Amino acid sequence: MVNFQIKTDSDIPASNQLFNQIRFAIASRKFPPGHRLPSTRQLAMQTGLHRNTISKVYRQLEDIGLVEAQAGSGIYVKAQGNEGGSRLKSPIYEKYPHASNIVKGGLDELLSQGCSLNEAREMFLTEIDWRLRCSARVLVTAPSNDIGIGQLMAKELEQALNISVQVVPLEELGKVIDEVSSGTVVTSRYFIGKAEKIAAPQSVRVIPIDIYDYAQEFKLVNNLSQGSYFGIVSLSSGLLKAAEVIIYSLRGNDINVMTAQQEETHKIDAIVRIAEVIICDRFSHAKVKAAVQKNRADIIRPPQIKCFENYIGTESINLLKRELGLV
């Protein structure tokens, strides 16, 4: 940040001092076109001037065409003459007002490394084309002995992204990739190392997803009274095993943990008859509720059912939306 200094004992009004210092910063490209000027609050803290005085200086700079205000964003140095090029008139740049600076910054960096404009254009187009081709086919992979976690991820992605997703056992991933020209492989960080090793020689990209932290569910476990029966139902055998280990580390043998996969009807029946609390993924929720209804004659006190909405973390969903061009 440029250090603006105001001399209080000067004959030149403080507002004029700041006005001329900012003009110099712009003229010397310390503040280049597209640069966001400090907020009035920041400048007030630095210079000791009142924020109203700084706002007046900014309006003067805007009046002479050096800066422009962008609603809800701030004051930016305005491109002059042909600095902005015809791209500034593009409706795309009007929709994404900061995109021009991002594109220009990336292009300037490539040129500074010795690339020609044609080479930079080829790099941009190649990357965009590759991402578009990769986005056309999305594969979710998990080991065959826990394909349920792959199905869970795929179901969530299809609902969140409104796209078609193919579930592929990790052991068959190489064969499937050989049959496609490009694609995107999505998997949990539990399996990312193996997936990357298989996909590395191919024209595909691999994106790891982060899982939901289950903070509310762990809090529920910690609050259970000693000797309670606690049930977990899921599509994934791996998720059930991991949950058992984590719960044991939290409570030891203080509570009794019962688990079942979605298709293990007899186990689910046993769980709903005895458990005080049951947690399940949203794709197993209906199965658990149906089991409670079926066994209601044998249930003295209906269990509390807690459905965790997501296995995939929200940030990972947003990342995939960006990477697949869905936002």
Side-chain angles (χ1 to χ4, degrees):
M1 182 176 178
V2 176
N3 186 25
F4 297 108
Q5 297 182 352
I6 303 299
K7 292 187 177 295
T8 55
D9 58 352
S10 172
D11 292 335
I12 302 173
S15 60
N16 285 1
Q17 292 181 50
L18 180 61
F19 176 78
N20 284 301
Q21 288 182 54
I22 296 177
R23 285 184 73 184
F24 177 77
I26 294 172
S28 62
R29 292 186 74 86
K30 290 182 179 179
F31 284 174
H35 180 85
R36 184 179 184 273
L37 269 61
S39 67
T40 56
R41 185 172 181 272
Q42 288 175 307
L43 270 189
M45 293 176 64
Q46 183 186 131
T47 64
L49 298 178
H50 195 279
R51 291 175 68 178
N52 287 343
T53 300
I54 297 167
S55 294
K56 178 183 176 183
V57 170
Y58 279 178
R59 285 195 297 272
Q60 290 176 313
L61 290 166
E62 191 172 6
D63 288 342
I64 64 174
L66 283 182
V67 303
E68 57 185 348
Q70 295 183 10
S73 179
I75 308 293
Y76 291 82
V77 178
K78 192 175 180 181
Q80 305 294 327
N82 292 323
E83 285 180 324
S86 60
R87 66 183 183 277
L88 294 179
K89 300 177 182 178
S90 167
I92 297 177
Y93 283 107
E94 290 177 7
K95 184 178 180 181
Y96 305 104
H98 305 306
S100 175
N101 296 329
I102 296 170
V103 172
K104 187 175 182 298
L107 182 57
D108 286 345
E109 178 63 27
L110 288 173
L111 295 176
S112 71
Q113 294 182 21
C115 290
S116 68
L117 279 173
N118 281 332
E119 288 172 331
R121 179 177 181 273
E122 183 176 346
M123 281 189 250
F124 274 113
L125 291 177
T126 299
E127 178 69 17
I128 292 168
D129 181 61
W130 181 71
R131 289 198 181 197
L132 288 173
R133 286 188 289 110
C134 285
S135 301
R137 187 164 189 180
V138 179
L139 310 174
V140 167
T141 191
S144 56
N145 62 1
D146 188 20
I147 202 63
I149 201 66
Q151 294 169 344
L152 183 60
M153 289 188 285
K155 285 177 180 288
E156 288 192 11
L157 291 178
E158 285 182 335
Q159 290 191 3
L161 306 179
N162 194 28
I163 60 173
S164 177
V165 175
Q166 180 183 355
V167 180
V168 179
L170 195 56
E171 297 81 356
E172 299 176 19
L173 182 60
K175 179 182 177 182
V176 173
I177 289 176
D178 285 340
E179 297 172 355
V180 300
S181 58
S182 57
T184 297
V185 175
V186 178
T187 191
S188 163
R189 291 191 187 275
Y190 283 113
F191 319 121
I192 189 64
K194 291 182 179 179
E196 284 188 325
K197 187 175 180 180
I198 295 169
Q202 307 295 332
S203 185
V204 298
R205 58 180 173 173
V206 182
I207 300 178
I209 57 107
D210 296 316
I211 66 173
Y212 168 61
D213 63 11
Y214 298 97
Q216 294 181 0
E217 287 72 19
F218 289 145
K219 184 177 180 181
L220 190 62
V221 169
N222 278 322
N223 290 335
L224 287 173
S225 57
Q226 188 173 355
S228 297
Y229 282 84
F230 181 72
I232 314 172
V233 181
S234 175
L235 283 171
S236 167
S237 61
L239 188 150
L240 295 176
K241 290 174 184 176
E244 281 190 271
V245 171
I246 295 171
I247 291 171
Y248 181 80
S249 70
L250 292 173
R251 295 295 303 264
N253 293 317
D254 281 353
I255 62 173
N256 302 289
V257 179
M258 307 171 69
T259 65
Q261 284 186 260
Q262 188 189 74
E263 67 273 13
E264 295 176 318
T265 303
H266 64 289
K267 285 189 176 181
I268 297 176
D269 288 342
I271 289 173
V272 300
R273 284 196 293 264
I274 194 171
E276 297 169 36
V277 176
I278 301 171
I279 66 169
C280 60
D281 59 56
R282 56 175 161 161
F283 304 107
S284 303
H285 189 215
K287 191 76 174 281
V288 173
K289 289 180 67 176
V292 171
Q293 284 295 108
K294 184 177 76 172
N295 293 277
R296 62 183 181 276
D298 300 319
I299 298 174
I300 298 174
R301 186 175 182 180
Q304 176 187 349
I305 301 173
K306 169 72 174 176
C307 174
F308 57 88
E309 288 297 314
N310 299 305
Y311 173 76
I312 303 174
T314 302
E315 285 300 314
S316 287
I317 291 291
N318 292 335
L319 169 66
L320 285 167
K321 284 181 179 179
R322 293 193 297 271
E323 288 294 324
L324 297 173
L326 300 175
V327 291

